[in-house]
Amino acid sequence: MFHLALVSAALSLFPRAFAHGGVLAYSNAGKWYDGWHPYNTPVGQTSIQRPWATYDPIQDPASSTIACNDDGMSSAAQLTATVAAGSAIVAYWNDWPHPYGPMLTYLAQCPGSTCTGVSANSLKWFKIDQSGLISGTVGNGYWGSGKMIDNNNTWTTTIPSSVPSGNYLIRFETIALHSLPAQFYPECAQITITGGGNKAPSASELVSFPGAYKSTDPGINLNLYSNEAQTSTQYIIPGPPLYGTGGTVTQPPSNPGTSAPAPTSAPPATTQSPPPPQGTVAQYGQCGGIGYSGATGCVSPFTCTKLNDYYSQCL
Ligand SMILES: *[C@@H]1O[C@H](CO)[C@@H](O)[C@H](O)[C@H]1NC(C)=O
Ligand SMILES: [Cu+2]
């Protein structure tokens, strides 16, 4: 009895620790950076990684923990790695159990001289790497996360050499789609990028966490076991367009020879009749495509843009 009690007590300390997981370490330019150890005491831990609490997934993309896991703030002895623009960062996961879903990597520049103490929720993020459905069907195909597993549970992202030098959080993420709601596994680390370029991300490439994802996004609200998923080969990776691809922000035409903005009419009082009908689909939402039967109008100022026969998106 005594031994049985000890065994079950020991098991209950790590109830589902190894069904899930996260990024346990990084390497860059031959240097190894141990990650935060969520199941050890925080006292005395030094890491470039922001602290996180458990291997469990985030399941609500509206939660503040979608940015850098729970709680994702700097530790008492937070470190920062110096990383050259154009170099590769390798993130190491535990023995990863979920082969269905995308891999995504984001950067967010911090104001001031350090990211330490800066809330990840206050930053603007841009996506520098992504891998969704690589081959096969949505329901049974080869995914970015399967490639991560095949690659010694690692994912390698190269810091674009055009990114401006400065202090950043880097956010590696995998999204597991084997269950609904989808499971988000984000972890962040603090890096200082040196030798960078001068290409700031465009407005359409910048997002907030929370804010970048909605649980209704087609790449998130996805049933891998539906009949459609067994034949579909289309997967829309959540989040903004990749850094460097979403730079064409269409400005309203201005009158030649004048730089002053046209006078604007007074905003309507909120108690007046509802505004004229306009689109309801939010930025990045689906607004058309073969087999799509939802709303087709985009909220202002976005326009429904055809990406392929099966998917048009409000951009
Ligand atoms: C595989 O990953 C582990 C860490 O999880 C690392 O120690 C090991 O060196 C890696 N092996 C190779 C061949 O890269
Ligand atoms: Cu899991």
Side-chain angles (χ1 to χ4, degrees):
M1 289 290 274
F2 181 62
H3 287 282
L4 279 178
L6 270 185
V7 166
S8 61
L11 286 175
S12 68
L13 285 177
F14 305 99
R16 287 167 297 147
F18 300 104
H20 312 298
V23 177
L24 303 185
Y26 306 86
S27 67
N28 170 255
K31 280 193 189 154
W32 182 264
Y33 298 94
D34 210 11
W36 186 258
H37 294 263
Y39 294 98
N40 292 0
T41 174
V43 177
Q45 286 203 48
T46 57
S47 175
I48 65 166
Q49 194 177 48
R50 289 271 181 109
W52 48 296
T54 79
Y55 280 12
D56 290 341
I58 312 298
Q59 291 184 278
D60 177 5
S63 162
S64 62
T65 56
I66 193 70
C68 293
N69 212 319
D70 185 7
D71 64 5
M73 277 306 298
S74 308
S75 70
Q78 182 70 46
L79 301 180
T80 300
T82 298
V83 170
S87 71
I89 298 192
V90 186
Y92 295 77
W93 272 261
N94 56 303
D95 193 5
W96 193 252
H98 304 307
Y100 299 110
M103 304 296 302
L104 312 95
T105 312
Y106 291 82
L107 288 176
Q109 190 166 14
C110 298
S113 58
T114 178
C115 282
T116 299
V118 175
S119 164
N121 303 126
S122 71
L123 299 176
K124 291 292 187 188
W125 298 83
F126 56 102
K127 191 196 277 171
I128 58 169
D129 190 16
Q130 62 182 5
S131 178
L133 182 61
I134 296 169
S135 64
T137 66
V138 166
N140 199 22
Y142 188 54
W143 290 81
S145 52
K147 186 177 172 184
M148 178 262 268
I149 292 166
D150 286 348
N151 201 12
N152 189 31
N153 301 300
T154 70
W155 193 258
T156 301
T157 292
T158 298
I159 305 293
S161 49
S162 54
V163 165
S165 299
N167 296 295
Y168 289 83
L169 292 182
I170 186 166
R171 176 182 182 276
F172 282 90
E173 176 182 38
T174 184
I175 304 175
L177 299 172
H178 64 283
S179 67
L180 262 177
Q183 302 179 344
F184 304 88
Y185 296 92
E187 281 85 33
C188 301
Q190 294 192 189
I191 59 173
T192 299
I193 296 177
T194 57
N198 54 16
K199 183 176 179 158
S202 71
S204 67
E205 293 165 352
L206 289 167
V207 293
S208 300
F209 284 109
Y213 302 158
K214 294 193 309 299
S215 51
T216 53
D217 286 347
I220 291 171
N221 182 30
L222 181 62
N223 181 356
L224 282 193
Y225 311 102
S226 70
N227 288 335
E228 188 196 352
Q230 308 319 306
T231 55
S232 170
T233 56
Q234 297 283 333
Y235 175 70
I236 307 301
I237 301 175
L242 265 186
Y243 168 71
T245 69
T248 50
V249 179
T250 308
Q251 301 289 348
S254 58
N255 293 331
T258 160
S259 59
T264 55
S265 56
T270 53
T271 52
Q272 283 181 349
S273 55
Q278 59 177 20
T280 54
V281 182
Q283 187 182 20
Y284 310 126
Q286 185 172 9
C287 52
I290 295 172
Y292 174 75
S293 59
T296 56
C298 300
V299 299
S300 178
F302 305 105
T303 53
C304 192
T305 306
K306 178 178 171 178
L307 299 183
N308 58 51
D309 286 347
Y310 295 90
Y311 199 78
S312 298
Q313 194 178 31
C314 291
L315 293 173

